[in-house]
Amino acid sequence: MKPSNSFPFDTTISVKNESSLQVLSQTWHKSGSCPKGTIPIRRISRQELLRATSLEHFGREGPRTSSIVNSTNDKSSGNNGSKIQVFPLPNHSAAYLFTKGYDFVGARGVINVWNPRVDSPDEYTTAQIWIKNGPNDGFESIEAGWMMDAYQKTGCINLICSGFVQINPRYDLGGPIQPTSQERGKQYELQIQIYQLPETRKWWLVYGEDEVIGYWPYEIFNHLQRKSRIVQWGGDVYSKNIKGVKPHTTTAMGSGNYAYGLWGSACFIDRLRIVDYNNLTKYPTWVSSNAEEPNCYTALKYQESPAIEPVFYFGGPGGGLFCP
């Protein structure tokens, strides 16, 4: 089962001077492949179950019920100066580039892959794409990218709980990937696409240009059955020791370096695209960047010249000299 059509990556955009490698390998590939009609599913260890606060919470993401949705943590503004709701969450610190509209049916980006430090088993750090929709008092979110450590609270991730339907036999969701980028060395990337086809309303996840991983059925959503109104690209750290709690976690975001380090130092996402309701794939008309804790994790939209598209850099070390 595959989507009837796809939205391939653009090949006409200006390419940055540096080059990165599109490589995705998982350790289990050394042992063979899955038979036709089956998919790889990561085995859950006893130690992982014991780390969870309860079996009901195992494999689930940080809290998705936000008590600070309308707080001053959300300083994002629209192109006319109006307030834009991007739903900040408790115990989450994000640095992101975002756009808002009323007819998004897809998004994509090329995500730089790193192996950042994570403080403890109940924390995680991720680089990803968000597709969001919902009223001001709540929202739904589809997210895809790479992550260090495991979600363990509420909301579903990978195949541990029901929701996402995998059809690809080659990749294990939740399994380790390799290789990862090195500072001032080789850089590695993941091409991620999420899009919805109107005839089935499934939200498809695609790796690279045409490697279909699976889909989210529209029936599991209330606010994302037909389209989204917010797309974000960037990083997110989950910890109880953020946003005023001291000492601040030292879980890193991105590469662990601040955004102004640029290529080879900071984590980046480039070739940013949205798909509108007319199935047109394009760079967003309007974008803005935001960091919820700018002393800890930073966000930077960087454009080297008018002939080269902007690249979004983000990340930071977390707690330390500038982030007490």
Side-chain angles (χ1 to χ4, degrees), residues 124-312:
Y124 73 79
T125 180
T126 180
Q128 63 183 39
I129 299 172
W130 293 261
I131 290 182
K132 296 181 177 182
N133 202 14
N136 287 340
D137 59 351
F139 76 101
E140 290 176 335
S141 177
I142 292 173
E143 305 169 17
W146 60 260
M147 182 184 68
M148 287 295 296
D149 212 85
Y151 295 73
Q152 296 182 9
K153 303 299 178 183
T154 61
C156 291
I157 186 171
N158 298 329
L159 302 178
I160 294 175
C161 46
S162 62
F164 185 79
V165 179
Q166 182 169 341
I167 66 170
N168 191 292
R170 296 181 58 191
Y171 298 109
D172 168 28
L173 295 181
I177 60 176
Q178 58 186 16
T180 57
S181 302
Q182 301 298 315
E183 187 167 3
R184 304 305 174 190
K186 289 183 178 180
Q187 302 297 297
Y188 296 94
E189 302 173 332
L190 296 177
Q191 294 184 4
I192 298 294
Q193 307 180 64
I194 305 170
Y195 60 84
Q196 185 184 57
L197 296 178
E199 60 268 25
T200 64
R201 290 190 280 168
K202 294 179 173 70
W203 288 94
W204 290 93
L205 173 63
V206 179
Y207 161 68
E209 296 189 10
D210 56 8
E211 189 81 53
V212 180
I213 303 299
Y215 64 89
W216 293 269
Y218 79 90
E219 293 91 347
I220 67 175
F221 299 110
N222 293 314
H223 307 303
L224 280 169
Q225 289 202 353
R226 292 191 178 275
K227 58 185 178 180
S228 72
R229 61 190 180 98
I230 295 174
V231 174
Q232 292 176 221
W233 301 263
D236 182 29
V237 168
Y238 172 76
S239 171
K240 295 179 181 178
N241 295 325
I242 59 171
K243 294 180 177 177
V245 179
K246 296 183 179 181
H248 193 283
T249 180
T250 58
T251 291
M253 179 190 294
S255 68
N257 294 326
Y258 290 114
Y260 49 73
L262 301 181
W263 198 92
S265 175
C267 189
F268 64 82
I269 302 179
D270 66 359
R271 277 177 274 178
L272 308 163
R273 292 292 184 273
I274 56 93
V275 182
D276 67 19
Y277 215 61
N278 295 315
N279 288 337
L280 295 177
T281 304
K282 57 189 178 182
Y283 187 86
T285 302
W286 171 87
V287 294
S288 182
S289 61
N290 184 48
E292 294 178 1
E293 293 184 292
N295 292 328
C296 308
Y297 311 109
T298 54
L300 174 66
K301 185 182 75 169
Y302 177 77
Q303 188 167 12
E304 185 175 344
S305 74
I308 300 178
E309 279 192 355
V311 177
F312 178 60

